[in-house]
């Protein structure tokens, strides 16, 4: 090659989906690899359309690509916005200040706001590699983020994305720390508190590892994928919404860090606090109730851990101008019966309709949370929240309000039912001694949830309930025989999911 | 799908080289992805030929693969030993105990020998993901490996690979901590000490980020890619060898950890010690001299860091039955003139031939190290090493011995010369005040080293040397005009590579 040869190659799509990781593919004989000293796994800057991403290089040693061609993973192709035939430019990756900050944190130094921002910005743009992100997440784990660093990380995460402003006050919100199947209180809480005049624009997530996120469940009942203007219109009309927040770039760093933390099973308090509060601040929330289920198979497993997390959530929230209240709740078993989008939607509708079949644990949990939010939003005096919440539900006002929100989001839909259902019976008589949330969630996922909306598990017993031999413990719902079979095989191999005691 | 459908897909090679990372490619519509809940980036167990690897899933969203086909990265294909058309089986990854141990270390617990072994074994087999390895490396960085853990990590790394036994004693060795271009003392030291009757079977590495490894340079002069039997024959005949050790599975965990540490720029003492000593123990060495260059652009940058590393090398070595001596050396500038395989080979031959043109700094450095090794191997009384080394070199015995080793390895070769050479002149008169090892190495690599054997840099001045305006400072050698141009552009953009003072 000579210097006059530009460092560019023609883009040829191969359609390889690497999830969020940016990968670039070049032929082994390509002049750029040779001239630039690029080898497999080198990080390479790729530019087109005046945009640049940093991608990991994979080398093609066959005829998948010509030597004057390059390809990109689907994620990198989307980020650059390129089509087949576009010329891609290549260059070495500049030295990243953020990488030095990560290194400093690894070696025990305390990071300041500017360093945190550099790391968060480069995480969001994809400039920092997954290895660097893993190092950062690790260096922050185990109480190694100071209080000030937690505040700075939260601020940096908010600054790295969009921040909504609802122009009305106070804006209330709720969040559940998760780990509990079912527990679909959000639609009920939004209906009750907005019926009482508070502003509660709820942006929710889809499932990542669970059988359903609030957005997945809500999508069964109404459209949730609204743009910012549509959401604002819904909130202006009704005071609330229950929509998918994923398209709005609210704390995008949170999604990046979660992608790294999850496989490592690292859930440090500092990062959990930054994760939750950055999403809430970005969503424009001012007063937030946090539902913190505590139980041996929930995310937070004991009282001491719950207490630490509670204190840090409140302290960091206060520093950032967010009024935070934490309600520690029973996390020993699912709340409600349904696990999976449609089954949870059915539970929610039963509660809102004051149906005598409605799962009472979900009713009481939702009312307690709604009462807290009403008090937090000054809709009622302290101590009066629960009564107001119950009145609003039982009077039918909450159901009317929920219908209004669904209508504003695009119309209330009928809940689909799964064509297949299999009951799993008690092998013997006994009393329900323990329920494994994680195994139950896994069965629901194997049955097809959340992609198959009607799939999942219907839990038919609760802790301390006496059961007869061959009494159904739970039902598996599926849309395809293979998925039913698959979930059932796993269920039969894990009888400990519901433990019977004498 | 039904349960009777086996979770298998037909292998279709795509020739994608992801370096050491195992990647598996499946079509988005594939029944296994759906049934097993696999998504992009899921870790998946892939089996064939009674072997299993754990690979990261990439999803193909085009016609690159049929829905009944799967592909593998070149590394995974090699590890499984499969050809086109072979059926691959897929399953979920078992829960890894090693992942829990990594997590424990991240949260500050001290690991025992069994836990270290589990981590190291799973690192070598590819069961632990790069994210987990990054977390492990991070958790060990910054003095977070205790002395006992360093010992355990070293032992585990040795146990995870082959260990050579030369059946002769003592087996001496030397190692350079690196970061210094040139400094090609090994062939000279091996020739001298084996001429004096010691056993020194030297297994060397190829360059990873440097312009030449000892094996790259030695390959200019003789074959280095010998199998274990051939190496043993060479050592039996001559007492020594200078071969490539990469094919012998000596501490393969070291290669895995280095692959992760390098992009993170994490070089903790504990891991550096485990890296060096595990390689030496695996190679069957009993007494090791370590050359530790110290300088602002060398790997070890100051005296305090050198002292810490020295103490830990000796203490861990002693615990593991390895006698270790460390020689701290001047790391402020390259040793010898050549940087690149052929240019370094030329320097080595000049020294061994007592050529008056031979670079005197390389002569003296090699003699000092050889003297140390002679004493360490009890070939001479303490204090007598340097004199014996010099006699052996100047008498021509070392050259005779080196020729014998090359002959035993397959025959001495002539050193190739690059067709292109460009001199870089001093822009003004002055005294050489500083030399940047890293920039020099980069220029040599851009010129084509080590792939182009004859390419590299010839350094024509040394520190404190007065130079005239337009006096050549260094020469760039290249095999292709493009590479020469490329190296030159970089060199001209980095005039700080050789700093002139008044």
């Amino acid at each position: 090659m000579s210097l006059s040869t530009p460092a560019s190659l023609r883009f040829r799509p191969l359609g390889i989906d690497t999830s969020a990781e940016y990968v670039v593919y070049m032929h082994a004989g390509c002049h750029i690899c040779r001239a630039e000293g690029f080898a497999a796994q080198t990080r390479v800057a790729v530019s087109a359309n005046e945009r640049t991403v940093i991608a990991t290089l994979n080398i093609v040693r066959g005829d998948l690509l010509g030597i004057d061609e390059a390809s990109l993973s689907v994620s990198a192709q989307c980020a650059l916005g390129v089509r087949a035939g576009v010329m891609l430019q290549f260059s070495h990756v500049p030295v990243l200040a953020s990488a030095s900050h990560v290194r400093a944190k690894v070696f025990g130094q305390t990071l300041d706001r500017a360093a945190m921002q550099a790391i968060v910005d480069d995480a969001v743009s994809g400039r920092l590699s997954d290895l660097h992100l893993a190092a950062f997440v690790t260096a922050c784990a185990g109480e190694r983020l100071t209080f000030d660093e937690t505040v700075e990380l939260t601020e940096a995460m908010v600054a790295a994305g969009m921040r909504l402003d609802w122009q009305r006050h106070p804006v209330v919100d709720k969040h559940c720390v998760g780990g509990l199947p079912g527990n679909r209180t959000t639609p009920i809480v939004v209906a009750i508190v907005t019926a009482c005049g508070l502003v509660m624009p709820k942006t929710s997530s889809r499932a990542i590892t669970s059988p359903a996120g609030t957005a997945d469940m809500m999508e069964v009942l109404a459209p949730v994928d609204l743009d910012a203007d549509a959401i604002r219109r819904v909130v202006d009309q009704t005071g609330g919404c229950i929509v998918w927040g994923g398209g709005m770039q609210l704390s995008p760093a949170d999604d990046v860090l979660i992608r790294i933390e999850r496989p490592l099973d690292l859930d440090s308090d500092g990062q959990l606090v930054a994760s939750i509060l950055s999403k809430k601040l970005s969503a424009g929330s001012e007063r937030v109730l946090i539902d913190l289920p505590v139980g041996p198979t929930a995310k937070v497993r004991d009282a001491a851990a719950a207490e630490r997390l509670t204190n840090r959530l409140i302290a960091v929230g206060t520093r950032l101008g967010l009024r935070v209240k934490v309600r520690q709740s029973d996390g020993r078993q699912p709340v409600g019966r349904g696990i999976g989008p449609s089954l949870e939607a059915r539970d929610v509708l039963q509660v809102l309709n004051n149906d005598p079949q409605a799962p009472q644990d979900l009713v009481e949990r939702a009312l307690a949370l709604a009462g807290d939010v009403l008090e937090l939003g000054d809709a009622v005096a302290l101590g009066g929240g629960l009564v107001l919440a119950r009145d609003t539900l039982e009077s039918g006002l909450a159901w009317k309000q929920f219908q209004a929100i669904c209508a504003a989001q695009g119309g209330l839909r009928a809940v689909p039912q799964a064509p297949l259902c299999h009951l799993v019976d008690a092998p013997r008589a006994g009393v329900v001694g323990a329920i494994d949330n994680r195994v139950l969630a896994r069965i629901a996922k194997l049955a097809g949830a959340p992609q198959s909306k009607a799939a999942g598990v219907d839990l038919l017993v609760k802790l301390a309930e006496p059961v007869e031999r061959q009494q159904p413990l739970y039902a598996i719902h599926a849309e395809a025989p293979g998925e039913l079979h698959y979930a059932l095989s796993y269920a039969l191999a894990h009888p400990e999911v519901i433990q019977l005691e004498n």
Side-chain angles (χ1 to χ4, degrees), chain A residues 11-26 43-44 46 53-58 60 65 70-83 88 90 126 130 259:
Chain A
F11 173 54
R12 175 171 174 173
L14 290 174
I16 299 177
D17 176 358
T18 58
S19 183
E21 197 187 0
Y22 296 152
V23 177
V24 56
Y25 304 85
M26 290 189 211
R43 301 273 295 164
V44 176
V46 190
V53 297
I54 295 180
T56 300
L57 178 60
N58 283 191
V60 171
L65 292 174
S71 192
L72 297 169
S73 61
V74 173
S75 52
Q77 178 182 356
C78 291
L80 288 176
V82 290
R83 292 167 182 227
L88 303 172
F90 297 90
D130 283 3
R259 180 169 63 80

Side-chain angles (χ1 to χ4, degrees), chain A residues 166 171-173 194 199-203 231 235 239-243 283 285:
Chain A
W166 299 101
V171 176
V172 296
D173 205 347
T194 58
V199 181
M200 184 165 180
K202 186 79 183 83
T203 50
I231 294 173
V235 176
C241 68
I242 305 147
V243 297
S285 308

Side-chain angles (χ1 to χ4, degrees), chain A residues 156-178:
Chain A
M157 289 169 73
V158 172
M162 294 286 295
R163 188 161 183 179
L164 304 180
D165 179 357
W166 299 101
Q167 316 260 349
R168 293 163 69 177
H169 309 282
V171 176
V172 296
D173 205 347
K174 80 159 272 276
H175 178 84
C176 177
V177 169

